Amino acid sequence: MKHQTLAHHATDGSDERASSTTDISRDDFAHVFRQYPGGVAVITADSPDGPVALTATSVVSVSAEPPLLAFSISHRASTAASIRSAHSYVVHFLGKDQLDIAQLCATSGVDRFADTRLWARLDTGEPYFPSAPAWVAGTQVDQLDAGAASIILLRATQSAVAPHADGTPPLVYFNRGWHHLGEHSQVS
């Protein structure tokens, strides 16, 4: 693993600042983020190519007023072009009981909408998974290409939280594995 020294003490007692513009490797960067757990979400959209979905751990709340959220998608993702071309999305926050949906939407080369019992459409037309404990639908406000990914900013237009959701252990992705939070994982 490559490490950079930000400052070191010179023999004359003065500080010298390292000025390296060398980026860490892709593998080192990925290794660091494998140590950081992320909540699992599935993002769906109705693109010009039809319904599309992906599993993501990059969803963040940006602002409560106005209600804004964002997610990122790698340009290498099989659904990248379709997701980027959509204008509205549904972000599903998954519980441990939706592992099958998370895995389905994370698998390349499969028809994620083949099983019509798993999904439906909102009144506004977007495909969604009704079994998700909570979801937010929104329209794209902006899209930023950042390196090998795009960051998509949404303004929330509607949401739902299932009556049973308060207490549903959330699905979490950590170090290449699926986990869930619950009483067993609470530390304080």
Side-chain angles (χ1 to χ4, degrees):
M1 180 179 263
K2 185 190 275 187
H3 296 279
Q4 292 185 16
T5 303
L6 297 178
H8 72 277
H9 193 70
T11 55
D12 65 0
S14 65
D15 282 338
E16 293 179 5
R17 302 284 173 193
S19 60
S20 173
T21 57
T22 305
D23 292 335
I24 64 172
S25 72
R26 178 187 188 284
D27 290 341
D28 286 348
F29 189 74
H31 183 84
V32 168
F33 272 87
R34 278 195 296 275
Q35 308 314 305
Y36 185 69
V40 178
V42 162
I43 298 156
T44 58
D46 203 13
S47 77
D49 302 322
V52 63
L54 75 128
T55 300
T57 58
S58 61
V59 176
V60 294
S61 167
V62 176
S63 168
E65 195 168 314
L68 300 172
L69 64 151
F71 67 90
S72 66
I73 181 171
S74 168
H75 293 163
R76 298 181 330 163
S78 62
T79 57
S82 296
I83 288 286
R84 293 176 66 205
S85 68
H87 299 289
S88 60
Y89 305 84
V90 181
V91 179
H92 307 76
F93 300 96
L94 302 185
K96 71 176 185 113
D97 294 336
Q98 287 76 46
L99 176 59
D100 58 335
I101 293 172
Q103 291 173 324
L104 172 68
C105 296
T107 304
S108 293
V110 300
D111 182 353
R112 295 167 177 145
F113 296 93
D115 187 347
T116 57
R117 296 169 298 169
L118 294 178
W119 66 283
R121 287 194 183 270
L122 296 175
D123 291 341
T124 51
E126 296 87 358
Y128 83 111
F129 293 101
S131 66
W135 55 263
V136 174
T139 56
Q140 187 180 125
V141 174
D142 203 355
Q143 188 174 144
L144 171 68
D145 284 341
S150 291
I151 300 168
I152 298 176
L153 180 65
L154 308 177
R155 182 173 187 137
T157 56
Q158 59 181 314
S159 65
V161 177
H164 66 281
D166 286 347
T168 299
L171 188 60
V172 176
Y173 196 75
F174 172 71
N175 201 17
R176 297 182 179 173
W178 307 97
H179 302 268
H180 68 87
L181 299 180
E183 298 269 333
H184 70 283
S185 59
Q186 189 168 343
V187 295
S188 67

